[in-house]
Amino acid sequence: MSISVSHINKSYKDIRALQDVSFEVKKGEIFGLIGPDGAGKTTLFRILATLLIADSGQASVAGHDVVKDYKTIRNCVGYMPGKFSLYQDLTVEENLEFFATIFKTTIKENYHLIEDIYKQIEPFKTRRAGKLSGGMKQKLALCCALIHKPEVLFLDEPTTGVDPVSRKEFWDMLKRLQQKGITILVSTPYMDEASLCDRIAFIQDGKILEIDSPEAIVKHFTKTIYNLSANNMYKLIESLKTYEHAHSVYPFGEFVHYTDTRDVFDIDELQHYLKNIGLNDITIEIAKPTIEDTFMALAK
Amino acid sequence: MKILGFIIQKEFKQIFRNKGMLPIIFVMPIVQLLILSNAATFDIKNIKFSYIDHDHTPTSRALIEQFDASTYFNVVTDFPSENKAQSAMLKGDVDVVLEIPNHFERNLVKGKNIPLGVTINAIDGAAAGVENVYITQILQRFNKAIQLNVFQPTNALSKPVNILTIPSFWYNKTLNYKTYMVPGILVLLVTMITLFLSGMNIVREKEIGTLEQINVTPIRKREFIIGKLFPFWVLGLAILSIGLIIAKFVFNVPIVGNLGLMYLYTSIYILVILGIGLFISNFTDTQQQAMFISWFFMVIFILMSGLFTPIESMPKWAQLITEFNPIKYFVEVMRMVMLKGSLLNDILPQLLKTLLYAFVMNGLAVWKYRKTT
């Protein structure tokens, strides 16, 4: 096991940031922590990165206990905090060199590991880090987190605030790093990124709701989901919410996702109900459940 | 060692790239030294002097001339009445009013005691005291001269015995105020720059989040702290050097003592200040907080350092507090070595206390410093 967390609890005064959190990550796996802001993702990262000590429970990273062997862990993990935290007044190259040196290595030695990523920012290597764009900052931060050839990589919301193209590139890079045998624990508030992980854990209010592969997690969703649309979306949501058999109603892209309390029900009946309210152009069709649907159902 | 060297190198790069800070570090001390040393003086000059002469005789005019001749007094005006003088004093137009009574000359010749009215604006009590001394001196001198003129000695026995005092001012022969102030202000600058910069430096890394990244690296606490503080130790000594050059060539302050001794003491002293700075940064989360706490200590340290007011005239309890004031020792040592040419033996007590202070402060700071939160 590359990362193992068992029964971790952490409170800040009267806020319980983490409650009895347990999970395991296999070597070479991309494990996603999916949850809204304030779910406890960063707290968990900080505990695993040996920056924070849990109130109770055990955790180990790369086979080392996070409390007892924190020194060993600091040598073999790469941590990329959610907030950009490199030296803004040093250049791209100086930042990389600095982190290489304090890990007692050189850029040359592990260049193969960062080559793909570093090549993209190399044209700007004499630029101060503070003057880089958001996407480039993330790439530099990833390079700095990788320069000492870590066994485990912790990425706390690496793509928040990054444009869609850079996000996609970033995930491509993670896939390539995975092939080099690096275990990656990544958190994200974006549900579409969740499907790119090998396994994901839903986390909300400090509790883990579900852990499984993205494909399997969707199968947990037993209810039939309907895509609904009409000429007045707001009215549609409002009227669906007041419908007596409604189980869940929430907007989903250009549609409204709807589930019914009954296992079997007549679509015409619903259509009739909506028409009576005064909605037009009503379409109702069965949709494939997504990770977001599963999360919404679990988070309810 | 390689890591330490690299951190120091990085720190220097950051200092020299900080376009806002750099001029402050190097220009501020020079400007302050030039301005403060010239402006901060306890000499009381240009006292606005005025008089009410009810007598209008050659003797009363001779007395006024004595004041006019003095470099301390500017005879501003004379008043016909006490009321006018009072309102001028109220407006702040005059500092001193001398009232010469009627029949001043006549009574003087008769050998009577004549009361002279002296009114001094005493809002600044210290200045008023000094002014009073000046006035008394002039009056006494005048009195003696009159006696010699008026009473011709009838025989040798009754000749007044004059006791003449010839003061000899050691270590600062001309009583040059700058000679006294420059070493003190130099102390102030070295302290301010090193305390503020070191106090804010680690907090800055906290503020921008880089400390979090640093903390997950295997970097040792010791390496990080030394790497962070060493550049400011160098800066402190650099500022001392700039200051000494200005003292020597601009203010002509005699540097009697051993330069090496000054540097030895300063290098230990800066360690104390860096320890205090580090200690402050342990307890603060933003540069603003660090700055205010540093100011708090700075003001107390400066005012109780003996730089502006002599420690001997403070109340007993305050004197006790000054024992814990590193600036006090630095001021003492600088003045002793620079002006008196004191040797290692003379400053040994201060040196040892400062060394102890450095150990305690840095020990506390390092002990309190945590890589985890």
mmCIF file of all heavy atoms in Angstrom, chain A residues 46 49-52 74-75 79 81 83 85-87 89-90 94 98-99 101 103-104 128, chain B residues 3 6 10 13-14 17 204-205 207-210 212-218 371-373:
data_model
loop_
_atom_site.group_PDB
_atom_site.id
_atom_site.type_symbol
_atom_site.label_atom_id
_atom_site.label_comp_id
_atom_site.label_asym_id
_atom_site.label_seq_id
_atom_site.Cartn_x
_atom_site.Cartn_y
_atom_site.Cartn_z
ATOM 1 N N ARG A 46 -2.732 17.875 4.469
ATOM 2 C CA ARG A 46 -1.733 18.400 5.399
ATOM 3 C C ARG A 46 -1.304 17.345 6.405
ATOM 4 O O ARG A 46 -0.156 17.312 6.832
ATOM 5 C CB ARG A 46 -2.269 19.645 6.098
ATOM 6 C CG ARG A 46 -2.385 20.845 5.143
ATOM 7 C CD ARG A 46 -3.020 22.037 5.829
ATOM 8 N NE ARG A 46 -2.240 22.452 6.988
ATOM 9 C CZ ARG A 46 -1.208 23.272 6.937
ATOM 10 N NH1 ARG A 46 -0.873 23.801 5.804
ATOM 11 N NH2 ARG A 46 -0.544 23.583 8.012
ATOM 12 N N ALA A 49 0.959 15.010 4.468
ATOM 13 C CA ALA A 49 2.230 15.648 4.131
ATOM 14 C C ALA A 49 3.036 15.997 5.380
ATOM 15 O O ALA A 49 4.006 16.747 5.297
ATOM 16 C CB ALA A 49 1.980 16.895 3.298
ATOM 17 N N THR A 50 2.621 15.504 6.529
ATOM 18 C CA THR A 50 3.285 15.682 7.837
ATOM 19 C C THR A 50 3.316 17.129 8.304
ATOM 20 O O THR A 50 4.147 17.508 9.118
ATOM 21 C CB THR A 50 4.742 15.156 7.847
ATOM 22 O OG1 THR A 50 5.546 16.053 7.055
ATOM 23 C CG2 THR A 50 4.849 13.766 7.282
ATOM 24 N N LEU A 51 2.375 17.941 7.822
ATOM 25 C CA LEU A 51 2.336 19.330 8.281
ATOM 26 C C LEU A 51 1.390 19.501 9.448
ATOM 27 O O LEU A 51 1.382 20.522 10.115
ATOM 28 C CB LEU A 51 1.881 20.244 7.139
ATOM 29 C CG LEU A 51 2.886 20.463 6.024
ATOM 30 C CD1 LEU A 51 2.242 21.183 4.878
ATOM 31 C CD2 LEU A 51 4.066 21.263 6.551
ATOM 32 N N LEU A 52 0.564 18.503 9.667
ATOM 33 C CA LEU A 52 -0.483 18.616 10.674
ATOM 34 C C LEU A 52 -0.550 17.265 11.371
ATOM 35 O O LEU A 52 -0.335 16.226 10.741
ATOM 36 C CB LEU A 52 -1.798 18.913 9.950
ATOM 37 C CG LEU A 52 -2.952 19.528 10.710
ATOM 38 C CD1 LEU A 52 -2.574 20.913 11.169
ATOM 39 C CD2 LEU A 52 -4.162 19.597 9.804
ATOM 40 N N ARG A 74 9.178 13.172 4.281
ATOM 41 C CA ARG A 74 9.471 14.437 3.599
ATOM 42 C C ARG A 74 10.470 14.260 2.462
ATOM 43 O O ARG A 74 10.550 15.088 1.569
ATOM 44 C CB ARG A 74 9.977 15.470 4.612
ATOM 45 C CG ARG A 74 8.834 16.014 5.443
ATOM 46 C CD ARG A 74 9.305 16.916 6.546
ATOM 47 N NE ARG A 74 8.150 17.332 7.354
ATOM 48 C CZ ARG A 74 8.255 18.065 8.444
ATOM 49 N NH1 ARG A 74 9.427 18.478 8.845
ATOM 50 N NH2 ARG A 74 7.187 18.396 9.126
ATOM 51 N N ASN A 75 11.231 13.159 2.529
ATOM 52 C CA ASN A 75 12.174 12.910 1.450
ATOM 53 C C ASN A 75 11.537 12.236 0.251
ATOM 54 O O ASN A 75 12.078 12.286 -0.842
ATOM 55 C CB ASN A 75 13.312 12.022 1.959
ATOM 56 C CG ASN A 75 14.441 12.843 2.537
ATOM 57 O OD1 ASN A 75 14.896 13.772 1.893
ATOM 58 N ND2 ASN A 75 14.854 12.519 3.746
ATOM 59 N N TYR A 79 4.678 17.542 -2.593
ATOM 60 C CA TYR A 79 3.405 18.146 -2.177
ATOM 61 C C TYR A 79 3.204 19.441 -2.925
ATOM 62 O O TYR A 79 4.088 20.286 -2.988
ATOM 63 C CB TYR A 79 3.447 18.383 -0.674
ATOM 64 C CG TYR A 79 2.263 19.138 -0.093
ATOM 65 C CD1 TYR A 79 0.952 18.811 -0.458
ATOM 66 C CD2 TYR A 79 2.464 20.151 0.834
ATOM 67 C CE1 TYR A 79 -0.127 19.493 0.092
ATOM 68 C CE2 TYR A 79 1.388 20.844 1.394
ATOM 69 C CZ TYR A 79 0.102 20.501 1.013
ATOM 70 O OH TYR A 79 -0.957 21.173 1.552
ATOM 71 N N PRO A 81 0.671 22.408 -2.699
ATOM 72 C CA PRO A 81 -0.477 22.976 -1.980
ATOM 73 C C PRO A 81 -1.443 23.652 -2.954
ATOM 74 O O PRO A 81 -1.062 23.993 -4.073
ATOM 75 C CB PRO A 81 0.149 24.014 -1.053
ATOM 76 C CG PRO A 81 1.604 23.814 -1.106
ATOM 77 C CD PRO A 81 1.907 23.117 -2.376
ATOM 78 N N LYS A 83 -2.682 26.574 -2.825
ATOM 79 C CA LYS A 83 -2.276 27.932 -3.138
ATOM 80 C C LYS A 83 -0.881 27.902 -3.760
ATOM 81 O O LYS A 83 -0.021 27.170 -3.291
ATOM 82 C CB LYS A 83 -2.238 28.711 -1.813
ATOM 83 C CG LYS A 83 -2.125 30.200 -1.959
ATOM 84 C CD LYS A 83 -2.096 30.815 -0.553
ATOM 85 C CE LYS A 83 -1.308 32.096 -0.569
ATOM 86 N NZ LYS A 83 -0.818 32.477 0.739
ATOM 87 N N SER A 85 2.680 28.303 -4.143
ATOM 88 C CA SER A 85 3.585 28.641 -3.042
ATOM 89 C C SER A 85 5.041 28.448 -3.435
ATOM 90 O O SER A 85 5.811 27.834 -2.737
ATOM 91 C CB SER A 85 3.245 27.820 -1.816
ATOM 92 O OG SER A 85 3.175 26.477 -2.165
ATOM 93 N N LEU A 86 5.391 29.027 -4.563
ATOM 94 C CA LEU A 86 6.805 29.091 -4.916
ATOM 95 C C LEU A 86 7.240 30.540 -4.743
ATOM 96 O O LEU A 86 6.411 31.412 -4.510
ATOM 97 C CB LEU A 86 6.994 28.637 -6.358
ATOM 98 C CG LEU A 86 6.562 27.191 -6.622
ATOM 99 C CD1 LEU A 86 6.707 26.862 -8.078
ATOM 100 C CD2 LEU A 86 7.384 26.220 -5.797
ATOM 101 N N TYR A 87 8.542 30.759 -4.901
ATOM 102 C CA TYR A 87 9.037 32.119 -4.712
ATOM 103 C C TYR A 87 8.747 32.958 -5.946
ATOM 104 O O TYR A 87 9.306 32.725 -7.007
ATOM 105 C CB TYR A 87 10.530 32.099 -4.406
ATOM 106 C CG TYR A 87 10.800 31.497 -3.062
ATOM 107 C CD1 TYR A 87 11.206 30.183 -2.923
ATOM 108 C CD2 TYR A 87 10.575 32.249 -1.919
ATOM 109 C CE1 TYR A 87 11.410 29.622 -1.680
ATOM 110 C CE2 TYR A 87 10.781 31.702 -0.673
ATOM 111 C CZ TYR A 87 11.198 30.400 -0.561
ATOM 112 O OH TYR A 87 11.391 29.857 0.671
ATOM 113 N N ASP A 89 9.513 35.956 -6.558
ATOM 114 C CA ASP A 89 10.580 36.859 -6.991
ATOM 115 C C ASP A 89 11.814 36.103 -7.488
ATOM 116 O O ASP A 89 12.829 36.715 -7.787
ATOM 117 C CB ASP A 89 10.950 37.859 -5.885
ATOM 118 C CG ASP A 89 11.037 37.205 -4.529
ATOM 119 O OD1 ASP A 89 10.856 35.986 -4.453
ATOM 120 O OD2 ASP A 89 11.287 37.909 -3.546
ATOM 121 N N LEU A 90 11.702 34.785 -7.571
ATOM 122 C CA LEU A 90 12.786 34.030 -8.194
ATOM 123 C C LEU A 90 12.310 33.570 -9.571
ATOM 124 O O LEU A 90 11.113 33.438 -9.791
ATOM 125 C CB LEU A 90 13.159 32.812 -7.345
ATOM 126 C CG LEU A 90 13.766 33.080 -5.974
ATOM 127 C CD1 LEU A 90 14.169 31.769 -5.321
ATOM 128 C CD2 LEU A 90 14.973 33.990 -6.068
ATOM 129 N N GLU A 94 15.404 29.305 -11.182
ATOM 130 C CA GLU A 94 15.924 29.414 -9.812
ATOM 131 C C GLU A 94 15.050 28.661 -8.823
ATOM 132 O O GLU A 94 15.549 28.031 -7.889
ATOM 133 C CB GLU A 94 16.023 30.890 -9.409
ATOM 134 C CG GLU A 94 17.210 31.597 -10.022
ATOM 135 C CD GLU A 94 17.117 33.106 -9.933
ATOM 136 O OE1 GLU A 94 16.040 33.632 -9.579
ATOM 137 O OE2 GLU A 94 18.110 33.767 -10.211
ATOM 138 N N PHE A 98 16.367 25.656 -6.665
ATOM 139 C CA PHE A 98 16.282 25.749 -5.207
ATOM 140 C C PHE A 98 15.701 24.464 -4.620
ATOM 141 O O PHE A 98 16.262 23.885 -3.692
ATOM 142 C CB PHE A 98 15.418 26.952 -4.824
ATOM 143 C CG PHE A 98 15.200 27.084 -3.352
ATOM 144 C CD1 PHE A 98 16.219 27.519 -2.528
ATOM 145 C CD2 PHE A 98 13.974 26.775 -2.778
ATOM 146 C CE1 PHE A 98 16.028 27.646 -1.170
ATOM 147 C CE2 PHE A 98 13.777 26.897 -1.422
ATOM 148 C CZ PHE A 98 14.807 27.326 -0.619
ATOM 149 N N PHE A 99 14.591 24.016 -5.206
ATOM 150 C CA PHE A 99 13.968 22.817 -4.644
ATOM 151 C C PHE A 99 14.807 21.574 -4.902
ATOM 152 O O PHE A 99 14.862 20.672 -4.070
ATOM 153 C CB PHE A 99 12.537 22.660 -5.157
ATOM 154 C CG PHE A 99 11.600 23.594 -4.456
ATOM 155 C CD1 PHE A 99 11.198 24.785 -5.035
ATOM 156 C CD2 PHE A 99 11.173 23.318 -3.162
ATOM 157 C CE1 PHE A 99 10.375 25.671 -4.358
ATOM 158 C CE2 PHE A 99 10.350 24.188 -2.479
ATOM 159 C CZ PHE A 99 9.944 25.369 -3.073
ATOM 160 N N THR A 101 18.038 21.540 -4.943
ATOM 161 C CA THR A 101 19.153 21.587 -3.997
ATOM 162 C C THR A 101 18.733 21.189 -2.591
ATOM 163 O O THR A 101 19.428 20.430 -1.933
ATOM 164 C CB THR A 101 19.782 22.993 -3.960
ATOM 165 O OG1 THR A 101 20.000 23.415 -5.290
ATOM 166 C CG2 THR A 101 21.077 22.977 -3.202
ATOM 167 N N PHE A 103 16.552 19.239 -1.766
ATOM 168 C CA PHE A 103 16.322 17.788 -1.721
ATOM 169 C C PHE A 103 17.606 17.027 -2.046
ATOM 170 O O PHE A 103 17.586 15.842 -2.330
ATOM 171 C CB PHE A 103 15.221 17.386 -2.698
ATOM 172 C CG PHE A 103 13.838 17.594 -2.155
ATOM 173 C CD1 PHE A 103 13.051 18.642 -2.605
ATOM 174 C CD2 PHE A 103 13.317 16.746 -1.189
ATOM 175 C CE1 PHE A 103 11.775 18.835 -2.104
ATOM 176 C CE2 PHE A 103 12.046 16.937 -0.695
ATOM 177 C CZ PHE A 103 11.276 17.982 -1.147
ATOM 178 N N LYS A 104 18.708 17.733 -2.064
ATOM 179 C CA LYS A 104 20.031 17.155 -2.306
ATOM 180 C C LYS A 104 20.108 16.437 -3.646
ATOM 181 O O LYS A 104 20.651 15.351 -3.760
ATOM 182 C CB LYS A 104 20.418 16.196 -1.179
ATOM 183 C CG LYS A 104 20.521 16.906 0.164
ATOM 184 C CD LYS A 104 21.048 15.965 1.222
ATOM 185 C CE LYS A 104 21.235 16.689 2.521
ATOM 186 N NZ LYS A 104 20.346 16.269 3.587
ATOM 187 N N ARG A 128 10.391 35.685 -13.858
ATOM 188 C CA ARG A 128 10.042 35.505 -12.437
ATOM 189 C C ARG A 128 8.753 34.687 -12.335
ATOM 190 O O ARG A 128 7.819 34.930 -13.107
ATOM 191 C CB ARG A 128 9.796 36.854 -11.772
ATOM 192 C CG ARG A 128 10.946 37.818 -11.937
ATOM 193 C CD ARG A 128 11.707 38.009 -10.653
ATOM 194 N NE ARG A 128 12.931 38.755 -10.947
ATOM 195 C CZ ARG A 128 13.133 40.018 -10.576
ATOM 196 N NH1 ARG A 128 12.204 40.651 -9.878
ATOM 197 N NH2 ARG A 128 14.258 40.608 -10.845
ATOM 198 N N ILE B 3 23.409 23.039 1.074
ATOM 199 C CA ILE B 3 22.033 23.530 1.176
ATOM 200 C C ILE B 3 22.027 24.906 1.823
ATOM 201 O O ILE B 3 21.384 25.833 1.338
ATOM 202 C CB ILE B 3 21.173 22.549 1.998
ATOM 203 C CG1 ILE B 3 21.076 21.222 1.249
ATOM 204 C CG2 ILE B 3 19.810 23.128 2.280
ATOM 205 C CD1 ILE B 3 20.248 20.186 1.908
ATOM 206 N N PHE B 6 23.099 27.532 -0.384
ATOM 207 C CA PHE B 6 22.105 27.826 -1.413
ATOM 208 C C PHE B 6 20.967 28.688 -0.868
ATOM 209 O O PHE B 6 20.480 29.587 -1.546
ATOM 210 C CB PHE B 6 21.548 26.519 -1.970
ATOM 211 C CG PHE B 6 21.048 26.667 -3.365
ATOM 212 C CD1 PHE B 6 21.922 26.637 -4.430
ATOM 213 C CD2 PHE B 6 19.707 26.879 -3.618
ATOM 214 C CE1 PHE B 6 21.468 26.796 -5.721
ATOM 215 C CE2 PHE B 6 19.239 27.039 -4.906
ATOM 216 C CZ PHE B 6 20.137 27.003 -5.968
ATOM 217 N N LYS B 10 19.931 32.345 -2.137
ATOM 218 C CA LYS B 10 18.539 32.644 -2.511
ATOM 219 C C LYS B 10 18.034 33.874 -1.754
ATOM 220 O O LYS B 10 17.396 34.759 -2.336
ATOM 221 C CB LYS B 10 17.672 31.429 -2.179
ATOM 222 C CG LYS B 10 16.198 31.674 -2.378
ATOM 223 C CD LYS B 10 15.388 30.894 -1.358
ATOM 224 C CE LYS B 10 14.446 31.786 -0.647
ATOM 225 N NZ LYS B 10 14.056 31.495 0.655
ATOM 226 N N LYS B 13 19.494 37.010 -3.164
ATOM 227 C CA LYS B 13 18.842 37.315 -4.430
ATOM 228 C C LYS B 13 17.524 38.022 -4.173
ATOM 229 O O LYS B 13 17.195 39.017 -4.810
ATOM 230 C CB LYS B 13 18.563 36.007 -5.184
ATOM 231 C CG LYS B 13 19.597 35.691 -6.231
ATOM 232 C CD LYS B 13 19.164 34.443 -6.988
ATOM 233 C CE LYS B 13 20.357 33.785 -7.636
ATOM 234 N NZ LYS B 13 20.122 32.395 -7.987
ATOM 235 N N GLN B 14 16.765 37.483 -3.227
ATOM 236 C CA GLN B 14 15.451 38.059 -2.958
ATOM 237 C C GLN B 14 15.555 39.468 -2.392
ATOM 238 O O GLN B 14 14.773 40.337 -2.739
ATOM 239 C CB GLN B 14 14.665 37.158 -2.011
ATOM 240 C CG GLN B 14 14.184 35.900 -2.696
ATOM 241 C CD GLN B 14 13.287 35.081 -1.815
ATOM 242 O OE1 GLN B 14 13.678 34.672 -0.725
ATOM 243 N NE2 GLN B 14 12.069 34.831 -2.253
ATOM 244 N N ARG B 17 16.401 41.811 -5.126
ATOM 245 C CA ARG B 17 15.376 41.972 -6.152
ATOM 246 C C ARG B 17 14.195 42.769 -5.635
ATOM 247 O O ARG B 17 13.311 43.159 -6.386
ATOM 248 C CB ARG B 17 14.882 40.598 -6.604
ATOM 249 C CG ARG B 17 15.789 40.080 -7.654
ATOM 250 C CD ARG B 17 15.316 38.789 -8.200
ATOM 251 N NE ARG B 17 16.432 38.177 -8.906
ATOM 252 C CZ ARG B 17 16.427 36.947 -9.345
ATOM 253 N NH1 ARG B 17 15.366 36.203 -9.158
ATOM 254 N NH2 ARG B 17 17.460 36.480 -9.973
ATOM 255 N N ARG B 204 6.935 36.627 6.126
ATOM 256 C CA ARG B 204 6.605 36.829 4.728
ATOM 257 C C ARG B 204 6.426 35.484 4.023
ATOM 258 O O ARG B 204 5.512 35.298 3.232
ATOM 259 C CB ARG B 204 7.726 37.643 4.075
ATOM 260 C CG ARG B 204 7.502 37.906 2.628
ATOM 261 C CD ARG B 204 8.329 39.091 2.156
ATOM 262 N NE ARG B 204 8.238 39.167 0.717
ATOM 263 C CZ ARG B 204 9.206 38.789 -0.110
ATOM 264 N NH1 ARG B 204 10.325 38.296 0.383
ATOM 265 N NH2 ARG B 204 9.046 38.884 -1.394
ATOM 266 N N GLU B 205 7.298 34.539 4.359
ATOM 267 C CA GLU B 205 7.168 33.222 3.745
ATOM 268 C C GLU B 205 5.887 32.539 4.207
ATOM 269 O O GLU B 205 5.273 31.796 3.461
ATOM 270 C CB GLU B 205 8.379 32.349 4.095
ATOM 271 C CG GLU B 205 9.661 32.892 3.532
ATOM 272 C CD GLU B 205 10.456 31.863 2.730
ATOM 273 O OE1 GLU B 205 10.009 30.718 2.616
ATOM 274 O OE2 GLU B 205 11.521 32.227 2.217
ATOM 275 N N GLU B 207 3.177 34.193 4.960
ATOM 276 C CA GLU B 207 2.094 34.932 4.315
ATOM 277 C C GLU B 207 1.890 34.481 2.870
ATOM 278 O O GLU B 207 0.760 34.290 2.434
ATOM 279 C CB GLU B 207 2.431 36.427 4.346
ATOM 280 C CG GLU B 207 1.272 37.306 4.711
ATOM 281 C CD GLU B 207 1.718 38.744 4.865
ATOM 282 O OE1 GLU B 207 2.516 39.243 4.061
ATOM 283 O OE2 GLU B 207 1.257 39.378 5.806
ATOM 284 N N ILE B 208 2.973 34.323 2.121
ATOM 285 C CA ILE B 208 2.786 33.957 0.721
ATOM 286 C C ILE B 208 2.730 32.451 0.521
ATOM 287 O O ILE B 208 2.567 31.992 -0.590
ATOM 288 C CB ILE B 208 3.868 34.580 -0.196
ATOM 289 C CG1 ILE B 208 5.266 34.210 0.277
ATOM 290 C CG2 ILE B 208 3.743 36.076 -0.287
ATOM 291 C CD1 ILE B 208 6.352 34.787 -0.601
ATOM 292 N N GLY B 209 2.828 31.691 1.592
ATOM 293 C CA GLY B 209 2.578 30.250 1.499
ATOM 294 C C GLY B 209 3.796 29.412 1.178
ATOM 295 O O GLY B 209 3.707 28.195 1.128
ATOM 296 N N THR B 210 4.942 30.053 0.940
ATOM 297 C CA THR B 210 6.110 29.259 0.584
ATOM 298 C C THR B 210 6.623 28.442 1.761
ATOM 299 O O THR B 210 7.264 27.421 1.572
ATOM 300 C CB THR B 210 7.254 30.153 0.086
ATOM 301 O OG1 THR B 210 7.359 31.271 0.946
ATOM 302 C CG2 THR B 210 6.990 30.638 -1.311
ATOM 303 N N GLU B 212 4.943 26.641 3.713
ATOM 304 C CA GLU B 212 4.279 25.343 3.685
ATOM 305 C C GLU B 212 5.032 24.386 2.767
ATOM 306 O O GLU B 212 5.222 23.218 3.070
ATOM 307 C CB GLU B 212 2.834 25.533 3.205
ATOM 308 C CG GLU B 212 2.088 24.237 3.105
ATOM 309 C CD GLU B 212 0.661 24.358 3.556
ATOM 310 O OE1 GLU B 212 0.413 25.069 4.547
ATOM 311 O OE2 GLU B 212 -0.199 23.748 2.912
ATOM 312 N N GLN B 213 5.465 24.939 1.636
ATOM 313 C CA GLN B 213 6.207 24.118 0.683
ATOM 314 C C GLN B 213 7.564 23.729 1.259
ATOM 315 O O GLN B 213 8.003 22.604 1.126
ATOM 316 C CB GLN B 213 6.381 24.916 -0.610
ATOM 317 C CG GLN B 213 6.947 24.120 -1.756
ATOM 318 C CD GLN B 213 5.877 23.367 -2.522
ATOM 319 O OE1 GLN B 213 5.006 23.945 -3.125
ATOM 320 N NE2 GLN B 213 5.947 22.057 -2.479
ATOM 321 N N ILE B 214 8.190 24.699 1.927
ATOM 322 C CA ILE B 214 9.500 24.443 2.526
ATOM 323 C C ILE B 214 9.385 23.385 3.628
ATOM 324 O O ILE B 214 10.231 22.524 3.771
ATOM 325 C CB ILE B 214 10.068 25.750 3.134
ATOM 326 C CG1 ILE B 214 10.422 26.746 2.025
ATOM 327 C CG2 ILE B 214 11.254 25.486 4.030
ATOM 328 C CD1 ILE B 214 11.672 26.405 1.269
ATOM 329 N N ASN B 215 8.290 23.461 4.376
ATOM 330 C CA ASN B 215 8.150 22.573 5.524
ATOM 331 C C ASN B 215 8.022 21.107 5.150
ATOM 332 O O ASN B 215 8.341 20.238 5.951
ATOM 333 C CB ASN B 215 6.941 22.994 6.371
ATOM 334 C CG ASN B 215 7.259 24.198 7.224
ATOM 335 O OD1 ASN B 215 8.415 24.565 7.373
ATOM 336 N ND2 ASN B 215 6.243 24.825 7.780
ATOM 337 N N VAL B 216 7.545 20.799 3.947
ATOM 338 C CA VAL B 216 7.455 19.388 3.566
ATOM 339 C C VAL B 216 8.753 18.867 2.977
ATOM 340 O O VAL B 216 8.850 17.718 2.612
ATOM 341 C CB VAL B 216 6.324 19.106 2.556
ATOM 342 C CG1 VAL B 216 4.988 19.125 3.234
ATOM 343 C CG2 VAL B 216 6.364 20.048 1.395
ATOM 344 N N THR B 217 9.749 19.743 2.886
ATOM 345 C CA THR B 217 11.029 19.269 2.373
ATOM 346 C C THR B 217 11.883 18.775 3.540
ATOM 347 O O THR B 217 11.623 19.126 4.688
ATOM 348 C CB THR B 217 11.795 20.413 1.669
ATOM 349 O OG1 THR B 217 12.155 21.369 2.645
ATOM 350 C CG2 THR B 217 10.958 21.060 0.601
ATOM 351 N N PRO B 218 12.891 17.971 3.235
ATOM 352 C CA PRO B 218 13.717 17.447 4.346
ATOM 353 C C PRO B 218 14.687 18.476 4.913
ATOM 354 O O PRO B 218 15.529 18.140 5.716
ATOM 355 C CB PRO B 218 14.480 16.294 3.689
ATOM 356 C CG PRO B 218 14.473 16.578 2.245
ATOM 357 C CD PRO B 218 13.254 17.374 1.949
ATOM 358 N N LYS B 371 8.080 23.232 12.438
ATOM 359 C CA LYS B 371 7.832 23.023 11.019
ATOM 360 C C LYS B 371 6.400 22.561 10.786
ATOM 361 O O LYS B 371 5.860 22.697 9.709
ATOM 362 C CB LYS B 371 8.830 22.013 10.446
ATOM 363 C CG LYS B 371 10.120 22.677 9.981
ATOM 364 C CD LYS B 371 11.085 21.686 9.405
ATOM 365 C CE LYS B 371 10.837 21.459 7.936
ATOM 366 N NZ LYS B 371 11.821 20.559 7.329
ATOM 367 N N THR B 372 5.792 21.978 11.795
ATOM 368 C CA THR B 372 4.384 21.576 11.654
ATOM 369 C C THR B 372 3.504 22.617 12.313
ATOM 370 O O THR B 372 3.961 23.414 13.123
ATOM 371 C CB THR B 372 4.124 20.224 12.325
ATOM 372 O OG1 THR B 372 4.774 20.240 13.584
ATOM 373 C CG2 THR B 372 4.622 19.100 11.498
ATOM 374 N N THR B 373 2.227 22.611 11.978
ATOM 375 C CA THR B 373 1.311 23.543 12.622
ATOM 376 C C THR B 373 0.332 22.775 13.493
ATOM 377 O O THR B 373 0.067 21.620 13.256
ATOM 378 C CB THR B 373 0.514 24.343 11.577
ATOM 379 O OG1 THR B 373 0.139 23.483 10.530
ATOM 380 C CG2 THR B 373 1.325 25.483 11.045
#
